[in-house]
Each structure stands twice: as C-alpha cells, then as structure tokens.
Amino acid sequence: MRSIAILLIAALGLAACGPSGGYSGTKQYRISSSSTSKIQYRVLDSVNALRQASGASALELNGELNAAAATHARDMSLQNRPWHFGSDGSSPLDRVARVGYPGELTGETISETYETEMETLAAWLEQDDTRAVIMDPEAQDLGIAWFQESNGKIWWTMVMGKRTGYTLASLSE
C-alpha cells in the first residue's frame, strides 16, 4: 500500500512537470473557465486513488462544498493572505453551513501559489496536517475551487465533509 501511494505521488509530480500545463518558471499556468470540471475531477480521482491505497473510502465531489471553497478562494485573494478565516470573520464551519451542506466539515486545506492543481495536491500531501485532512477516513465529500489573479497567482481551497443528513443552519432554527 505504501509503495502504491509513493508511486502515485511521484506520478502526480511528474505529470505536473509535463507540457500539459506545469509551471516551469517561463510559462504561467493559466486556468480557463472551461477547465473547471476537468480540474475538479482530476483532483478527486487523484485523492481517491491515494485513499483507496490506504484503505479509506472514496470521496464524492459535492456542489455545496465546491461553492464554499470558491467563496473562500476568492476571499483569500481579496485579503491577500492564505488563512482559514474570511474577511467577514467566517470560519470554514460557517462557510459550509452557509452553502447548505447537509453534514459537517471534516477539514479544509488552502494554498497561495502559481502551481497547478497536481503540484498543489502533491505539496498538501507532503505536509502532515494537510495530508491528514485529505486522508481523513471520516470524510465522504470533497469540494475544490480556486481563484486565479491576473498575475497568475492561484488561491486554492479544498473542503472535506461528512454527510449527516442535517445542516448546522437547520439546528439553529
């Protein structure tokens, strides 16, 4: 299992270096609006391959979590800093509740970079704290989004959740 995970991480790194969009220092990685679903499913497939190799269940792409991730990615750009709190003081828990996700947050990973989604995923997997979020066996759903500035900088946000059948907002009503 460990060797499969190592091979997959190496493959992710090599794929990011290829001519299909890896950041080489001479050419910026630009994301077109038509690439959204391709990128989201490429990340989902890569995460699920790693989770399968470790015995964790596969995740599903979730629209509400994508929306929460997109809101935060844009907000980090406006704040010009990568952190987990919104300009309005919102936490990841607040953002997941606002979009109506029928479950609970299991974690959030963020990044400020000029790198591709595969390079960013590989960097997250190298860090113990972000790897724990991605590999959390409780997680069932994934949301991934980004905001790219005109200078090429990309603000990535990945949100993970566990379905419970109710939302935090419905509990307060």
Side-chain angles (χ1 to χ4, degrees), residues 80-113:
N80 197 33
R81 64 178 167 180
W83 74 323
H84 293 283
F85 293 93
S87 56
D88 62 355
S90 62
S91 71
L93 289 168
D94 297 327
R95 290 187 294 276
V96 167
R98 282 182 191 162
V99 297
Y101 177 68
E104 58 190 55
L105 174 79
T106 60
E108 179 182 76
T109 60
I110 58 173
S111 181
E112 169 194 17
T113 186

Side-chain angles (χ1 to χ4, degrees), residues 16-78:
C17 295
S20 62
Y23 179 71
S24 66
T26 58
K27 182 179 178 196
Q28 283 189 347
Y29 179 64
R30 287 284 179 191
I31 303 173
S32 70
S33 58
S34 64
S35 299
T36 300
S37 64
K38 291 177 194 169
I39 290 171
Q40 289 172 326
Y41 281 103
R42 188 166 35 238
V43 170
L44 178 69
D45 291 345
S46 298
V47 167
N48 280 339
L50 288 167
R51 289 174 62 88
Q52 181 181 12
S54 72
S57 62
L59 302 173
E60 293 182 21
L61 194 61
N62 180 276
E64 289 98 350
L65 295 182
N66 284 339
T71 298
H72 191 55
R74 181 176 293 274
D75 191 48
M76 285 190 299
S77 171
L78 292 172

Side-chain angles (χ1 to χ4, degrees), residues 80-156:
N80 197 33
R81 64 178 167 180
W83 74 323
H84 293 283
F85 293 93
S87 56
D88 62 355
S90 62
S91 71
L93 289 168
D94 297 327
R95 290 187 294 276
V96 167
R98 282 182 191 162
V99 297
Y101 177 68
E104 58 190 55
L105 174 79
T106 60
E108 179 182 76
T109 60
I110 58 173
S111 181
E112 169 194 17
T113 186
Y114 290 88
E115 296 178 331
T116 70
E117 65 279 1
M118 293 294 100
E119 290 169 314
T120 302
L121 179 58
W124 284 336
L125 291 167
E126 290 175 7
Q127 300 296 315
D128 290 340
D129 57 344
T130 51
R131 181 178 180 79
V133 169
I134 294 167
M135 302 304 288
D136 184 345
E138 294 282 312
Q140 298 172 307
D141 294 316
L142 175 146
I144 179 79
W146 57 90
F147 178 77
Q148 187 166 34
E149 296 178 353
S150 60
N151 66 4
K153 184 188 293 184
I154 307 169
W155 300 85
W156 294 100

